Amino acid sequence: MSISIPDLVTVRARHPEAIAEAAARRVRRPLLGDSGRLMIVAADHPARGALGVGDRRTAMANRADLLERLCVALSRPGVDGVLATADILEDLLLLGVLDGKIVMGSMNRGGLSGASFEMDDRFTGHRAEDIARLRFDAGKLLLRIDYADPGSLTTLESTARAIDDMAARRLPLFVEPFISRRVDGRVRNDLSAEAVTRSIAISSGLGGTSAYTWLKLPVTDDPDDMAEVMETSTLPAVLLGGEVGDDQDGAYEKWRKALRLPTVQGLVVGRSLLYPAVGSVETAVDTAVGLL
């Protein structure tokens, strides 16, 4: 569909209440459909200042282009919903493309990419009360743990309270944990089997209840380790996509193997589907859906 930025700006400037009205009339659905699997498209990267895709440093900065790609992805059979920050989700509400879709609000975006305070990842996005008020279906947070950075403790505590707040409202919360460290001043996530196992164990035990907690996990450096890694918890999990580079076929094969594991319920993938290295958004999304 063609996106008219002037029309969106006019509504936002003259009728801001239209966002709440669109949220109130949105047609909702259960988290898991008949297939028992989830296919979520992620677009919460810009709010962390992470605009690059491959060698295109500001690929996600063009809002009309991003919204068009999201609308295409959401229109494909088998796509269950979208994960994004308030600004993007509200654009999609005004465009009327979220009926019958899972809407997942991104909660902590304070750990800006490349910032000195990146590991102090404060909750600057959706709160549990916002997700409930707007009748959204779930939340998501990022939990990077650096044993050498005290900021990680703030994030851990805030994560536990967010889990409590979401559970009190019976809203699912997808926790994306990593063991991380700084290398040459930049935060790097450790995808070894040991690190991913430890991140699962830590995040599974946060909060006063895990009843509404899901995990959003990477595939380990060696995909053959995933079966043992996923034995760490009984919490339902989805796989995250992340940057796949030029080897899309290799990434798809890693996802396919991990999707056979009993706790893995689906995929949450963003840039590699919205900005595929090869082919169209439609082809990339349909291929990912086919893995489920």
Side-chain angles (χ1 to χ4, degrees):
M1 66 184 295
S2 178
I3 304 299
S4 172
I5 294 297
D7 287 349
L8 286 174
V9 172
T10 297
V11 173
R12 284 180 169 277
R14 295 180 178 271
H15 305 288
E17 70 280 0
I19 291 170
E21 292 167 358
R25 64 174 177 264
R26 181 178 70 89
V27 177
R28 299 181 68 182
R29 50 154 279 184
L31 181 66
L32 290 178
D34 293 338
S35 70
R37 304 290 248 173
L38 272 179
M39 177 69 223
I40 303 293
V41 178
D44 57 344
H45 313 80
R48 200 177 289 280
L51 301 170
V53 180
D55 58 358
R56 294 170 287 173
R57 296 184 60 185
T58 58
M60 298 188 78
N62 186 314
R63 183 52 57 89
D65 179 60
L66 173 58
L67 291 174
E68 286 181 7
R69 291 170 184 271
L70 281 167
C71 289
V72 169
L74 286 165
S75 72
R76 304 306 297 172
V79 174
D80 293 291
V82 60
L83 157 64
T85 47
D87 56 329
I88 293 174
L89 291 181
E90 289 165 0
D91 282 342
L92 294 173
L93 276 173
L94 293 174
L95 292 169
V97 297
L98 296 182
D99 280 348
K101 300 296 183 183
I102 296 300
V103 181
M104 191 180 299
S106 187
M107 301 178 75
N108 63 326
R109 312 308 291 168
L112 301 182
S113 178
S116 62
F117 52 83
E118 186 168 353
M119 300 309 296
D120 185 351
D121 201 353
R122 302 191 185 194
F123 283 66
T124 57
H126 285 106
R127 301 165 300 173
E129 54 260 46
D130 300 319
I131 293 170
R133 172 176 50 83
L134 291 165
R135 301 172 63 250
F136 292 165
D137 305 293
K140 172 261 179 178
L141 60 84
L142 177 62
L143 174 61
R144 293 173 296 182
I145 304 166
D146 183 347
Y147 280 65
D149 193 321
S152 291
L153 180 57
T154 302
T155 308
L156 272 167
E157 183 180 17
S158 300
T159 295
R161 300 294 76 80
I163 289 170
D164 292 339
D165 290 344
M166 291 290 282
R169 294 166 173 82
R170 299 186 177 184
L171 287 168
L173 179 57
F174 289 68
V175 178
E176 180 180 349
F178 291 98
I179 302 299
S180 307
R181 66 181 184 277
R182 288 190 182 272
V183 179
D184 297 327
R186 300 191 64 182
V187 175
R188 301 294 186 190
N189 298 325
D190 187 343
L191 300 185
S192 67
E194 179 183 352
V196 176
T197 296
R198 200 183 323 144
S199 74
I200 293 172
I202 293 169
S203 55
S204 296
L206 292 174
T209 178
S210 62
Y212 293 89
T213 305
W214 285 57
L215 299 175
K216 181 173 178 273
L217 301 171
V219 177
T220 51
D221 286 331
D222 184 347
D224 291 335
D225 292 331
M226 281 298 288
E228 185 175 355
V229 166
M230 295 305 295
E231 292 174 352
T232 309
S233 174
T234 58
L235 298 185
V238 291
L239 303 177
L240 64 92
E243 289 274 15
V244 301
D246 296 329
D247 187 15
Q248 285 192 179
D249 290 339
Y252 291 148
E253 183 56 32
K254 290 198 298 184
W255 297 344
R256 180 181 289 109
K257 290 179 66 175
L259 282 164
R260 298 172 185 157
L261 300 173
T263 57
V264 178
Q265 307 295 302
L267 287 168
V268 179
V269 187
R271 287 172 287 190
S272 58
L273 299 187
L274 294 173
Y275 301 85
V278 179
S280 64
V281 173
E282 293 93 331
T283 301
V285 170
D286 292 350
T287 301
V289 169
L291 301 178
L292 300 176

